[in-house]
Amino acid sequence: MRRTTLQTVADRVGVSRATVSNAFSRPDQLSSQLRHKILAVAEELGYVGPDPTARMLARGTTGAVGVLLPDSLRHAFTDEVLTTFLGAVADALAPTGLGLTLLPPGEHGDVLPARDVPMDGALVCAVAPGSKAVNWLVRRGVPLVLIDEDPAAGMAGVNVDDRYGARTAAEHLLDLGHRHVGVLTAGLGPGPRLVGLPRPEDAVGHTSRQRLKGWLDALVPAGVSPLVSSQPSAYDDASVAARLLLDIEDPPSAVLCFSDAMAAELVRTAVDLGGRVPADLSVVGFDDSPLASRLRPTLTTVRQDVDAKGRAAAAALHSAIERSHAGHPVAAEHVQLPTELVVRQTTALLSA
Amino acid sequence: MRRTTLQTVADRVGVSRATVSNAFSRPDQLSSQLRHKILAVAEELGYVGPDPTARMLARGTTGAVGVLLPDSLRHAFTDEVLTTFLGAVADALAPTGLGLTLLPPGEHGDVLPARDVPMDGALVCAVAPGSKAVNWLVRRGVPLVLIDEDPAAGMAGVNVDDRYGARTAAEHLLDLGHRHVGVLTAGLGPGPRLVGLPRPEDAVGHTSRQRLKGWLDALVPAGVSPLVSSQPSAYDDASVAARLLLDIEDPPSAVLCFSDAMAAELVRTAVDLGGRVPADLSVVGFDDSPLASRLRPTLTTVRQDVDAKGRAAAAALHSAIERSHAGHPVAAEHVQLPTELVVRQTTALLSA
DNA sequence: TGGGGGAACTGTACCGGTTCAGACGCGCTC
DNA sequence: GAGCGCGTCTGAACCGGTACAGTTCCCCCA
């Protein structure tokens, strides 16, 4: 027994396939009398409605957008900043009826999601515009919005002012009298390791680069050369990198961290090593994720409005899709959201 | 200019469409010489590869599975138990190359995801088997795995032993001497409210029913009739329902909660009201989410292995899809995972 | 020299809809 | 009563591939 199809219903009712199609998809194209009859017969035959895939092919639209994520999909559910972002996107997209398909960047058994998953548009989250996955999306002509990536790429994008935020964080520490400053970040080469004053351009990931620039913007003019500890990914366990910074002769009196999660690890490591925060060590996080307020002491951090970022991303994507549906892609707008230092309890005046 | 298609490439190379298709999808079907030529021409013409949608239609498979979730998709990124679960599913599915599409249960502007999104199979998470969305999936013949739902439905499913876990939680409180016990749960009618001894069958949601049954399994034989406070959804803010339980004459000395999140709210409310946990109030959560260990005092709770649940769900779904691909659906297996009481710091002997 | 066996391609029938330019009939207007 | 407009429905082209049963051609072996 074959799956019942439009034609089955059409034959049974004695009308054309087109009419049955209209009964489901364009009710105004036929008399409501006939429509009800068709619907009834369809029900009776167990016909569920137009096959989504066939409809996609014929209509040329899929009803879903992709979200290209770094590394494993796991982070999409694990990292609080990302979950908040995705939640906001999901909410903002809901009224449009667009679904959300999460895309890992790599390939799994010769299927490469960026190439093989149908979608009307995509959000590219912290995946470099030059990467293989993004290239596929571009070549496919999928309308794209870049999140937290270099706006120079000429595509639509949403960013936050990471650099400014990082700078204010560093200035805050300087204001408190700290001169021996550490940096705990990600993307500066393999393995957790200490890096002699790094060049921001060398960092992997636009966010890493911007934040590093911001920190240096403040530190360097003040004559402060930070001690930098880096690990490959921000998602890795930061305790090793943290130890590199703290478990040494003459550790820094204050540390700037790439994220709240890494800051949390740092605080824990400091405490494990017998230090007191902020008495012996000031710590600044980044993002102001829920974690920042949960920690005790509460974490001084740089706030970004992740919810707003999600909404902006959804809006930008929606309009990018609209545009591409209409004429050719017009000017790619770029949104930049502000950041703001939030001083809480993990930073204090340098004690003597 | 039309999108370049298989045919374009075929014409240019001077071979049949089938051969070009093979060049991309079944390399062993042609000489590698010709294949490379075709690939080169394709590249030159800007042909990206087979259109995913068309391929789906022709192959009858989509390469993605759906996850039907309760309420807003937001919870998928917000609730820690759910995020853990989905993370585990994503991980377990990765090697199979299957993508993950999150499906809201309701309809958005006349598109109903459960009916309109193409998928090879679906995980139904805490959505009743009789609901509209699930019915669509069933009628479409989508291979299904029910998570945390009634196994009676004759479909494959993964559960945890909620009832047993709840019973041991209640027994624990009884062992500690508590006789005036409260219950903070969800699904017993509208609005936050106190409910006189409820019948488990009346609860909305299989999990709610099972946990309630478990609690009563222990309490009723002991002659303890709990004071039950309920709110519509477990995802709602529980502070009002918590207050209903605590801000009264003669509040309970111990409370069983539907989830760790609700337990956390309860603890906070108790503290706000000037109580001490566990001195004045013992609290038991459910799930052993990361939250449970984060809280201070750490939360006594009922542990379920959400990661294992995710893996089991992915495995069950995968095999359900395989089966349906082959012959007709065979016996629907049902997995039940254990639960275990984890005693931490929020429960204590009844202080005379 | 005849024939068996592959490897390398092709022809063609699907997959299951959407869409749009008509065709048809019918009531209304002038 | 001819013509017009409109609401309804149909035909057929199209969306962009996949898959399977051939057809060719060539090599090898008896």
Side-chain angles (χ1 to χ4, degrees), chain A residues 210-282:
Chain A
Q210 292 303 305
R211 294 185 183 177
L212 186 51
K213 275 185 194 167
W215 291 321
L216 297 181
D217 280 347
L219 298 178
V220 170
V224 173
S225 176
L227 182 62
V228 179
S229 178
S230 166
Q231 61 189 31
S233 156
Y235 297 121
D236 295 341
D237 176 16
S239 54
V240 176
R243 213 167 263 274
L244 251 35
L245 222 44
L246 301 181
D247 199 5
I248 56 176
E249 199 92 358
D250 192 25
S253 67
V255 178
L256 295 157
C257 301
F258 177 79
S259 71
D260 291 342
M262 291 180 74
E265 293 279 356
L266 182 81
V267 170
R268 206 157 55 72
T269 303
V271 171
D272 285 353
L273 291 173
R276 293 162 305 165
V277 174
D280 304 327
L281 181 73
S282 284

Coordinates of all heavy atoms in Angstrom, one line a residue, chain A residues 210-282:
Chain A
Q210 N 38.6 40.8 19.3 CA 38.0 42.1 19.7 C 38.3 42.3 21.2 O 38.6 43.4 21.7 CB 36.6 42.2 19.4 CG 36.3 42.2 17.9 CD 37.0 43.4 17.3 OE1 36.8 44.5 17.7 NE2 37.8 43.1 16.2
R211 N 38.0 41.3 22.0 CA 38.1 41.5 23.5 C 39.6 41.7 23.8 O 39.9 42.6 24.6 CB 37.6 40.3 24.2 CG 36.0 40.2 24.0 CD 35.3 39.1 24.8 NE 33.9 39.1 24.4 CZ 33.0 38.3 24.8 NH1 33.3 37.3 25.7 NH2 31.7 38.4 24.4
L212 N 40.5 40.9 23.2 CA 41.9 41.1 23.4 C 42.3 42.5 23.1 O 43.0 43.2 23.8 CB 42.7 40.1 22.6 CG 44.2 40.0 22.9 CD1 44.5 39.9 24.4 CD2 44.8 38.8 22.1
K213 N 41.9 43.0 21.9 CA 42.2 44.4 21.5 C 41.7 45.3 22.6 O 42.5 46.3 22.9 CB 41.4 44.7 20.2 CG 42.2 44.3 19.0 CD 41.5 44.7 17.7 CE 42.0 44.0 16.5 NZ 41.1 44.2 15.3
G214 N 40.5 45.2 23.0 CA 39.9 46.1 24.0 C 40.8 46.1 25.3 O 41.1 47.2 25.8
W215 N 41.2 44.9 25.8 CA 42.0 44.9 27.0 C 43.3 45.6 26.8 O 43.7 46.5 27.6 CB 42.2 43.4 27.4 CG 41.0 42.7 27.8 CD1 40.0 43.2 28.6 CD2 40.7 41.3 27.6 NE1 39.1 42.2 28.8 CE2 39.5 41.0 28.2 CE3 41.3 40.3 26.8 CZ2 38.9 39.8 28.2 CZ3 40.7 39.0 26.8 CH2 39.5 38.8 27.4
L216 N 43.9 45.4 25.6 CA 45.2 46.0 25.4 C 45.0 47.5 25.2 O 45.9 48.3 25.5 CB 45.9 45.3 24.2 CG 46.2 43.8 24.3 CD1 46.9 43.3 23.1 CD2 47.1 43.6 25.6
D217 N 43.9 47.9 24.6 CA 43.6 49.3 24.4 C 43.8 50.1 25.7 O 44.3 51.2 25.7 CB 42.2 49.5 23.9 CG 42.0 49.2 22.5 OD1 43.0 49.1 21.7 OD2 40.8 49.1 22.0
A218 N 43.5 49.5 26.8 CA 43.6 50.2 28.1 C 44.9 49.9 28.7 O 45.6 50.8 29.2 CB 42.4 49.7 29.0
L219 N 45.3 48.6 28.7 CA 46.5 48.2 29.4 C 47.8 48.8 28.8 O 48.6 49.4 29.6 CB 46.6 46.7 29.5 CG 45.5 46.0 30.2 CD1 45.7 44.5 30.1 CD2 45.4 46.4 31.6
V220 N 48.0 48.7 27.6 CA 49.2 49.1 26.9 C 49.6 50.6 27.2 O 50.7 50.9 27.6 CB 49.3 48.7 25.4 CG1 50.5 49.3 24.8 CG2 49.3 47.2 25.3
P221 N 48.6 51.5 26.9 CA 48.9 52.9 27.2 C 49.3 53.1 28.6 O 50.0 54.1 28.9 CB 47.6 53.6 26.8 CG 46.9 52.7 25.9 CD 47.3 51.3 26.3
A222 N 48.8 52.3 29.5 CA 49.1 52.5 30.9 C 50.4 51.8 31.3 O 50.8 51.8 32.5 CB 47.9 51.9 31.8
G223 N 51.0 51.3 30.3 CA 52.3 50.7 30.6 C 52.2 49.3 31.2 O 53.2 48.8 31.8
V224 N 51.0 48.7 31.2 CA 50.9 47.4 31.8 C 50.9 46.3 30.7 O 50.2 46.4 29.8 CB 49.5 47.3 32.6 CG1 49.3 45.9 33.0 CG2 49.5 48.3 33.7
S225 N 51.8 45.4 31.0 CA 51.8 44.3 30.0 C 51.3 43.0 30.7 O 51.9 42.5 31.6 CB 53.3 44.1 29.6 OG 53.4 43.0 28.8
P226 N 50.1 42.6 30.2 CA 49.4 41.5 31.0 C 50.1 40.2 30.8 O 50.8 39.9 29.8 CB 48.0 41.5 30.3 CG 48.3 42.0 28.9 CD 49.4 43.0 29.0
L227 N 49.8 39.3 31.8 CA 50.2 37.9 31.7 C 49.1 37.2 31.1 O 48.0 37.2 31.7 CB 50.6 37.4 33.1 CG 51.0 36.0 33.2 CD1 52.4 35.8 32.4 CD2 51.2 35.6 34.6
V228 N 49.2 36.6 29.9 CA 48.1 36.0 29.2 C 48.1 34.5 29.2 O 49.1 33.9 28.8 CB 48.1 36.5 27.8 CG1 46.9 35.9 27.0 CG2 48.0 38.0 27.7
S229 N 47.1 33.9 29.7 CA 46.9 32.5 29.6 C 45.8 32.1 28.7 O 44.7 32.7 28.8 CB 46.6 31.9 31.0 OG 46.4 30.5 31.0
S230 N 46.0 31.2 27.8 CA 45.0 30.9 26.8 C 44.8 29.4 26.6 O 45.7 28.6 26.8 CB 45.5 31.5 25.4 OG 44.7 31.0 24.4
Q231 N 43.6 29.1 26.2 CA 43.3 27.7 25.9 C 42.6 27.7 24.6 O 42.2 28.7 24.1 CB 42.4 27.1 27.0 CG 41.1 27.8 27.1 CD 40.3 27.3 28.3 OE1 40.8 26.9 29.3 NE2 39.0 27.3 28.2
P232 N 42.6 26.6 23.9 CA 42.1 26.6 22.5 C 40.7 27.1 22.4 O 40.4 28.0 21.6 CB 42.2 25.1 22.1 CG 43.2 24.5 23.0 CD 43.1 25.3 24.3
S233 N 39.8 26.5 23.2 CA 38.4 26.9 23.0 C 37.8 27.5 24.3 O 38.2 27.0 25.4 CB 37.5 25.7 22.6 OG 36.2 25.9 22.9
A234 N 37.0 28.4 24.2 CA 36.3 29.0 25.4 C 35.5 28.0 26.1 O 35.1 28.1 27.3 CB 35.5 30.2 25.0
Y235 N 35.1 26.9 25.4 CA 34.3 25.9 26.0 C 35.0 24.9 26.8 O 34.4 24.1 27.5 CB 33.4 25.2 24.9 CG 32.5 26.2 24.2 CD1 32.6 26.4 22.9 CD2 31.6 26.9 24.9 CE1 31.7 27.3 22.2 CE2 30.7 27.8 24.3 CZ 30.8 28.0 22.9 OH 30.0 28.9 22.3
D236 N 36.3 24.8 26.6 CA 37.1 23.9 27.4 C 37.1 24.2 28.8 O 36.8 25.3 29.2 CB 38.6 23.9 26.9 CG 38.7 23.4 25.4 OD1 37.8 22.8 24.9 OD2 39.7 23.8 24.8
D237 N 37.4 23.2 29.6 CA 37.6 23.4 31.0 C 38.7 24.4 31.3 O 39.8 24.1 30.8 CB 37.8 22.0 31.7 CG 38.1 22.2 33.2 OD1 37.8 23.3 33.7 OD2 38.6 21.3 33.8
A238 N 38.4 25.4 32.0 CA 39.4 26.5 32.1 C 40.4 26.3 33.3 O 41.2 27.2 33.5 CB 38.8 27.8 32.2
S239 N 40.2 25.3 34.1 CA 40.9 25.2 35.3 C 42.4 25.1 35.1 O 43.2 25.7 35.8 CB 40.4 24.1 36.2 OG 40.5 22.9 35.5
V240 N 42.8 24.4 34.1 CA 44.3 24.3 33.8 C 44.9 25.6 33.4 O 45.9 26.1 34.0 CB 44.5 23.3 32.6 CG1 46.0 23.2 32.3 CG2 44.0 21.9 33.0
A241 N 44.2 26.3 32.5 CA 44.7 27.6 32.1 C 44.7 28.6 33.3 O 45.5 29.5 33.4 CB 43.8 28.2 31.0
A242 N 43.7 28.4 34.1 CA 43.6 29.3 35.3 C 44.8 29.1 36.2 O 45.4 30.0 36.8 CB 42.3 29.0 36.1
R243 N 45.1 27.8 36.4 CA 46.2 27.5 37.3 C 47.6 28.0 36.7 O 48.4 28.4 37.5 CB 46.3 25.9 37.4 CG 46.8 25.4 38.7 CD 46.5 23.9 38.8 NE 45.3 23.6 39.5 CZ 45.3 23.5 40.9 NH1 46.3 23.7 41.6 NH2 44.1 23.3 41.5
L244 N 47.7 28.0 35.4 CA 48.9 28.6 34.8 C 49.1 30.0 35.2 O 50.2 30.5 35.3 CB 48.7 28.5 33.3 CG 49.5 27.6 32.5 CD1 49.7 26.3 33.2 CD2 48.8 27.3 31.1
L245 N 48.0 30.7 35.5 CA 48.0 32.1 35.8 C 48.3 32.3 37.3 O 48.9 33.3 37.7 CB 46.7 32.7 35.4 CG 46.6 34.1 34.7 CD1 47.6 34.2 33.6 CD2 45.2 34.2 34.1
L246 N 47.7 31.4 38.1 CA 47.7 31.7 39.5 C 48.7 30.9 40.3 O 49.2 31.3 41.4 CB 46.3 31.3 40.1 CG 45.1 32.1 39.5 CD1 43.8 31.7 40.1 CD2 45.3 33.6 39.6
D247 N 49.0 29.7 39.8 CA 49.9 28.8 40.6 C 51.3 29.1 40.3 O 52.1 28.2 39.9 CB 49.5 27.4 40.3 CG 50.0 26.4 41.4 OD1 50.5 26.9 42.4 OD2 49.8 25.2 41.2
I248 N 51.7 30.3 40.4 CA 53.1 30.7 40.1 C 53.7 31.7 41.1 O 52.9 32.2 41.9 CB 53.2 31.4 38.7 CG1 52.2 32.6 38.7 CG2 52.8 30.4 37.6 CD1 52.3 33.4 37.4
E249 N 54.9 31.9 41.0 CA 55.6 32.9 41.7 C 54.9 34.2 41.3 O 54.7 34.4 40.1 CB 57.1 32.9 41.3 CG 58.0 33.6 42.2 CD 58.6 32.6 43.2 OE1 58.2 31.4 43.2 OE2 59.4 33.0 44.1
D250 N 54.6 35.1 42.2 CA 54.1 36.4 41.9 C 52.9 36.4 40.9 O 53.1 37.0 39.7 CB 55.3 37.2 41.3 CG 55.0 38.7 41.1 OD1 54.1 39.1 41.9 OD2 55.6 39.3 40.3
P251 N 51.8 35.9 41.2 CA 50.7 35.8 40.3 C 50.1 37.3 40.2 O 50.3 38.1 41.1 CB 49.7 34.9 41.0 CG 50.1 34.9 42.4 CD 51.5 35.2 42.5
P252 N 49.3 37.5 39.2 CA 48.6 38.8 39.0 C 47.7 39.1 40.1 O 47.2 38.2 40.8 CB 47.9 38.7 37.7 CG 47.8 37.2 37.4 CD 49.0 36.6 38.1
S253 N 47.4 40.4 40.4 CA 46.5 40.7 41.4 C 45.1 40.9 40.8 O 44.1 41.1 41.6 CB 46.9 42.1 42.0 OG 46.8 43.1 41.1
A254 N 45.0 40.8 39.5 CA 43.6 40.9 38.9 C 43.7 40.2 37.6 O 44.7 40.2 36.9 CB 43.3 42.4 38.7
V255 N 42.5 39.6 37.2 CA 42.5 38.9 35.9 C 41.3 39.3 35.1 O 40.1 39.3 35.6 CB 42.5 37.4 36.1 CG1 42.4 36.7 34.8 CG2 43.8 37.0 36.9
L256 N 41.5 39.5 33.8 CA 40.4 39.8 32.9 C 40.1 38.5 32.2 O 41.0 37.8 31.6 CB 40.8 40.8 31.9 CG 41.1 42.2 32.4 CD1 42.1 43.0 31.5 CD2 39.8 42.9 32.6
C257 N 38.8 38.1 32.2 CA 38.5 36.8 31.6 C 37.6 36.9 30.3 O 36.8 37.9 30.2 CB 37.7 35.9 32.6 SG 38.7 35.6 34.1
F258 N 37.8 36.0 29.5 CA 37.1 36.0 28.2 C 35.6 35.8 28.4 O 34.7 36.2 27.6 CB 37.6 34.9 27.3 CG 36.9 34.8 26.0 CD1 37.1 35.7 25.0 CD2 35.9 33.8 25.8 CE1 36.4 35.6 23.8 CE2 35.2 33.7 24.6 CZ 35.5 34.6 23.6
S259 N 35.2 35.0 29.4 CA 33.8 34.8 29.6 C 33.5 34.6 31.1 O 34.4 34.4 31.9 CB 33.3 33.5 28.9 OG 33.9 32.4 29.6
D260 N 32.2 34.7 31.5 CA 31.8 34.4 32.9 C 32.2 33.0 33.3 O 32.6 32.8 34.4 CB 30.4 34.7 33.1 CG 30.0 36.2 32.9 OD1 31.0 37.0 33.0 OD2 28.9 36.5 32.7
A261 N 32.0 32.1 32.4 CA 32.2 30.7 32.7 C 33.7 30.5 33.1 O 34.0 29.8 34.1 CB 31.8 29.8 31.6
M262 N 34.6 31.1 32.3 CA 36.0 31.0 32.5 C 36.3 31.7 33.8 O 37.2 31.3 34.6 CB 36.8 31.5 31.4 CG 36.7 30.6 30.1 SD 37.6 31.2 28.7 CE 39.3 30.8 29.2
A263 N 35.7 32.8 34.1 CA 35.9 33.6 35.3 C 35.5 32.8 36.5 O 36.2 32.7 37.5 CB 35.1 34.9 35.3
A264 N 34.4 32.0 36.4 CA 34.0 31.2 37.5 C 35.0 30.1 37.8 O 35.3 29.9 39.0 CB 32.6 30.5 37.1
E265 N 35.6 29.6 36.7 CA 36.6 28.6 36.9 C 37.8 29.2 37.6 O 38.5 28.6 38.5 CB 37.1 28.0 35.6 CG 36.1 27.2 34.8 CD 36.0 25.8 35.4 OE1 36.8 25.4 36.3 OE2 35.1 25.0 34.9
L266 N 38.1 30.4 37.2 CA 39.3 31.1 37.8 C 39.1 31.3 39.2 O 40.0 31.1 40.1 CB 39.5 32.4 37.0 CG 40.8 33.2 37.5 CD1 42.0 32.6 36.9 CD2 40.6 34.7 37.3
V267 N 37.9 31.8 39.6 CA 37.6 32.1 41.0 C 37.7 30.8 41.8 O 38.3 30.8 42.9 CB 36.2 32.7 41.2 CG1 35.8 32.7 42.6 CG2 36.1 34.0 40.5
R268 N 37.2 29.7 41.3 CA 37.2 28.5 42.0 C 38.7 28.0 42.2 O 39.1 27.6 43.3 CB 36.4 27.4 41.3 CG 35.9 26.3 42.2 CD 34.7 25.6 41.6 NE 34.9 25.1 40.3 CZ 35.7 24.0 40.1 NH1 36.3 23.4 41.1 NH2 35.9 23.6 38.9
T269 N 39.4 28.1 41.1 CA 40.8 27.8 41.2 C 41.6 28.6 42.2 O 42.3 28.1 43.1 CB 41.5 27.9 39.8 OG1 40.8 27.2 38.9 CG2 43.0 27.5 39.9
A270 N 41.3 29.9 42.2 CA 41.9 30.8 43.2 C 41.6 30.4 44.6 O 42.5 30.3 45.5 CB 41.5 32.2 42.9
V271 N 40.3 30.1 44.8 CA 39.9 29.7 46.2 C 40.6 28.3 46.6 O 41.1 28.2 47.7 CB 38.4 29.5 46.3 CG1 38.0 28.9 47.6 CG2 37.7 30.9 46.1
D272 N 40.6 27.4 45.6 CA 41.3 26.2 45.8 C 42.7 26.4 46.3 O 43.3 25.6 47.1 CB 41.2 25.3 44.6 CG 39.9 24.7 44.4 OD1 39.0 24.9 45.3 OD2 39.6 24.1 43.3
L273 N 43.3 27.4 45.7 CA 44.7 27.6 46.0 C 44.9 28.5 47.3 O 46.0 28.9 47.6 CB 45.4 28.4 44.8 CG 45.6 27.6 43.5 CD1 46.1 28.4 42.4 CD2 46.5 26.4 43.7
G274 N 43.8 28.7 47.9 CA 43.9 29.4 49.2 C 43.8 30.9 49.1 O 44.0 31.6 50.0
G275 N 43.4 31.4 47.9 CA 43.3 32.8 47.7 C 41.9 33.3 48.1 O 41.0 32.5 48.2
R276 N 41.8 34.6 48.3 CA 40.5 35.2 48.6 C 40.1 36.2 47.4 O 41.0 36.9 46.9 CB 40.5 36.0 49.9 CG 40.7 35.1 51.1 CD 41.1 36.0 52.3 NE 42.4 36.7 51.9 CZ 42.8 37.8 52.7 NH1 42.2 38.2 53.7 NH2 43.9 38.4 52.3
V277 N 38.9 36.1 47.0 CA 38.4 37.0 46.0 C 37.3 37.8 46.6 O 36.4 37.3 47.2 CB 37.8 36.1 44.8 CG1 37.1 37.1 43.8 CG2 38.8 35.3 44.1
P278 N 37.4 39.2 46.5 CA 38.4 39.9 45.7 C 39.6 40.4 46.5 O 40.5 41.1 45.9 CB 37.6 41.1 45.2 CG 36.7 41.4 46.4 CD 36.4 40.0 47.0
A279 N 39.7 40.0 47.8 CA 40.8 40.5 48.6 C 42.2 40.3 48.0 O 43.0 41.3 47.8 CB 40.8 39.9 50.0
D280 N 42.5 39.1 47.6 CA 43.8 38.8 47.0 C 43.8 38.9 45.5 O 44.8 39.1 44.8 CB 44.2 37.4 47.4 CG 44.3 37.2 48.9 OD1 44.5 38.2 49.6 OD2 44.0 36.1 49.3
L281 N 42.6 38.7 44.9 CA 42.5 38.6 43.4 C 41.2 39.2 42.9 O 40.1 38.9 43.4 CB 42.6 37.2 43.0 CG 42.5 36.9 41.5 CD1 43.8 37.3 40.8 CD2 42.2 35.5 41.2
S282 N 41.3 40.2 42.1 CA 40.1 40.7 41.4 C 39.9 40.0 40.1 O 40.8 39.6 39.4 CB 40.3 42.2 41.1 OG 40.2 43.0 42.3

